[in-house]
Amino acid sequence: MSSPASSGDRDKVVSKLPGQLRQDLKIRAAQHGIEIQAAVEQGIRDWCALASATEPVDTAGADSFSTFLPPGQWETFRKVAADRSVSLIQGLAQSVRLWLDSNPAPDVERPSVTRRVIVCNQKGGVGKTAITAGVGEALAESPNALHAVRVSKALAKALRASDAAAGEDEPLEIESLPGLGMRVLLVDFDPQCHLTNQLGAAPLPMNGDSLTNHMAGDPKGDLRDLVVPIDEETFGNRLHLLPACNDAFLLDVRLSAVRAREAALERALAPLEADYDVIIVDCPPSLGLSMDAAAYYGRRRDGEKPGQSGALIVVQAEDSSADAYELLTTQIDDLRDDLQIDIDYLGIVVNLYDSRRGYIATSSLQGWVDIKNPRVVGLIGDLKEQKEAVRMKQPLLSYAPKSQQAIGMRALAREIS
């Protein structure tokens, strides 16, 4: 049936469609960046132009489905369906299936050079590990499913100091988007093993092989053998972890005897790069030789566009983060000058934010926003879901995929991708 209710110059049409077909239509339309009504319109047009009906579709359990079509199209469709002796529900299902078959899911766009994201700040406790895991999870989510994402203009609104100072909790603008489908390696570069433990993996034994051994030029095997998958059911074997080992406490000492030590991390991870689109390194709270090696690994390579790889700096909205930020950026800038390399800043993430903490929090947030270069690319609230996920040793986006923190992580991943 159709009704006078319209969207622009279109007529509202109400029929039925099987649940799985409706879900496939919703996801595929989002993958191609078009409205569902445009997809249905094209499907009906193509179906009506066929010489005969296509293969029948199982419409058992079909539920109510409504859309908007150009004036007159539904009447034409009804006539064609009657001529072919098929029900309107069956004809609509065949039309949607025809559009899906004619518009397959697009391939995931993969970078020509493996992207390297260095998550850093020499101050501990700012949540570098949570951001490393959250961004990696968001990048690896299925491209054949829809996920709640906070849109950019909502982030901009959240960053307005006046709103933050007033403590207004305006509803976020949320959009359902396909996952990015990236192949992601998370590297736990911190001897404290926080990332390893939080994701439910086991730290590497001291008497075995480790990333430290490979960086120091004393490998005991293939680094690939140390990599473990993370929640294959949710991330489809796209998210992997290189666990940490406590021997990384000795890394700076061991690196002091290594030639071209700033390239030690790159030499160790280079054999793994062909397997991944993005490698994210969770750095220790340190300004030593290991941080030099991490920053060097994130440098812009020949043929790589600016902003594809580089440093993602995690801070909190309080004064000590500002002091640590100055020390970190000074170290990175000195490395740039000494080695004549380009190290891009991917942005600043203000983590564990809570405007209820008053003037210190809101004024500090304004200070980060005022920097401009690098700009604030993420604002993640101090909410319970992240803490619960850590306690459960599960990825946040598996444990609480609809939480505000998960929605913010997806927005952050898109801001830097």
Side-chain angles (χ1 to χ4, degrees):
M1 62 171 288
S2 62
S3 71
S6 64
S7 174
D9 295 329
R10 293 171 173 262
D11 294 332
K12 184 177 182 180
V13 172
V14 179
S15 183
K16 289 186 176 182
L17 202 62
Q20 187 59 57
L21 200 58
R22 185 170 60 248
Q23 182 68 9
D24 291 345
L25 171 64
K26 184 177 181 180
I27 293 171
R28 193 69 53 81
Q31 289 172 332
H32 286 278
I34 66 173
E35 294 184 354
I36 291 177
Q37 63 185 20
V40 176
E41 175 190 344
Q42 185 62 53
I44 289 177
R45 183 183 299 119
D46 292 345
W47 186 80
C48 289
L50 295 175
S52 61
T54 59
E55 288 293 321
V57 176
D58 183 1
T59 59
D63 295 323
S64 179
F65 173 78
S66 63
T67 188
F68 292 89
L69 297 175
Q73 188 181 48
W74 189 248
E75 285 70 21
T76 300
F77 170 70
R78 290 170 63 98
K79 183 177 183 303
V80 173
D83 291 343
R84 294 176 181 172
S85 300
V86 300
S87 68
L88 294 179
I89 296 173
Q90 179 63 217
L92 179 60
Q94 291 183 22
S95 298
V96 170
R97 173 52 60 197
L98 179 62
W99 183 84
L100 289 169
D101 292 343
S102 301
N103 295 269
D107 293 333
V108 173
E109 186 175 348
R110 305 198 181 280
S112 57
V113 178
T114 299
R115 299 182 58 210
R116 292 131 3 257
V117 179
I118 311 305
V119 182
C120 52
N121 190 333
Q122 66 94 18
K123 183 181 185 299
V126 296
K128 295 185 293 295
T129 298
I131 298 302
T132 299
V135 170
E137 293 160 25
L139 289 170
E141 282 188 312
S142 172
N144 296 315
L146 298 179
H147 311 276
V149 181
R150 184 175 64 201
V151 296
S152 295
K153 57 185 177 182
L155 173 61
K157 181 185 295 184
L159 293 176
R160 291 176 188 161
S162 58
D163 291 344
E168 298 175 3
D169 292 324
E170 297 186 22
L172 295 173
E173 297 180 61
I174 306 299
E175 187 174 355
S176 293
L177 297 175
L180 297 171
M182 295 282 109
R183 300 167 302 179
V184 179
L185 175 65
L186 304 176
V187 177
D188 193 346
F189 197 42
D190 188 341
Q192 299 173 90
C193 306
H194 290 319
L195 181 62
T196 301
N197 290 323
Q198 288 184 19
L199 293 177
L204 298 171
M206 287 286 288
N207 60 350
D209 202 8
S210 67
L211 177 59
T212 298
N213 289 336
H214 284 256
M215 291 180 64
D218 186 27
K220 298 182 180 180
D222 190 331
L223 202 59
R224 286 186 182 86
D225 295 337
L226 306 180
V227 172
V228 296
I230 298 298
D231 194 348
E232 294 178 83
E233 182 178 352
T234 298
F235 301 104
N237 201 35
R238 289 180 299 271
L239 183 64
H240 292 173
L241 168 71
L242 177 56
C245 177
N246 293 135
D247 67 356
F249 280 114
L250 305 174
L251 180 57
D252 280 7
V253 174
R254 297 181 69 179
L255 283 181
S256 64
V258 173
R259 186 176 181 181
R261 53 181 175 262
E262 68 279 352
L265 182 59
E266 179 166 300
R267 288 194 297 268
L269 295 179
L272 304 182
E273 290 183 3
D275 298 332
Y276 299 99
D277 301 309
V278 185
I279 294 178
I280 307 178
V281 180
D282 183 26
C283 294
S286 167
L287 293 178
L289 298 178
S290 56
M291 187 60 222
D292 279 347
Y296 182 86
Y297 184 58
R299 80 192 189 287
R300 192 191 315 160
R301 294 178 179 173
D302 292 342
E304 190 173 21
K305 295 179 181 178
Q308 291 296 292
S309 297
L312 183 65
I313 303 175
V314 182
V315 301
Q316 289 186 20
E318 41 77 37
D319 295 339
S320 61
S321 279
D323 297 334
Y325 171 82
E326 293 294 337
L327 292 171
L328 175 64
T329 53
T330 297
Q331 178 177 4
I332 292 176
D333 291 343
D334 286 346
L335 193 65
R336 279 170 161 174
D337 295 338
D338 292 344
L339 300 179
Q340 293 296 293
I341 57 176
D342 293 313
I343 302 174
D344 296 326
Y345 291 111
L346 301 181
I348 297 170
V349 182
V350 181
N351 192 32
L352 300 172
Y353 180 72
D354 187 348
S355 63
R356 295 173 300 178
R357 292 181 179 136
Y359 176 73
I360 293 296
T362 57
S363 61
S364 294
L365 174 61
Q366 183 60 51
W368 293 119
V369 173
D370 289 343
I371 291 177
K372 305 301 183 185
N373 187 24
R375 67 188 179 91
V376 172
V377 293
L379 180 65
I380 307 297
D382 186 8
L383 302 172
K384 65 182 179 65
E385 287 81 4
Q386 177 65 52
K387 298 180 180 67
E388 292 173 351
V390 169
R391 173 68 64 87
M392 300 300 293
K393 296 187 181 298
Q394 294 181 19
L396 170 66
L397 273 65
S398 300
Y399 176 78
K402 297 181 180 180
S403 67
Q404 294 300 334
Q405 287 170 316
I407 291 169
M409 292 295 185
R410 296 188 188 106
L412 172 57
R414 283 164 170 79
E415 283 289 326
I416 66 171
S417 62

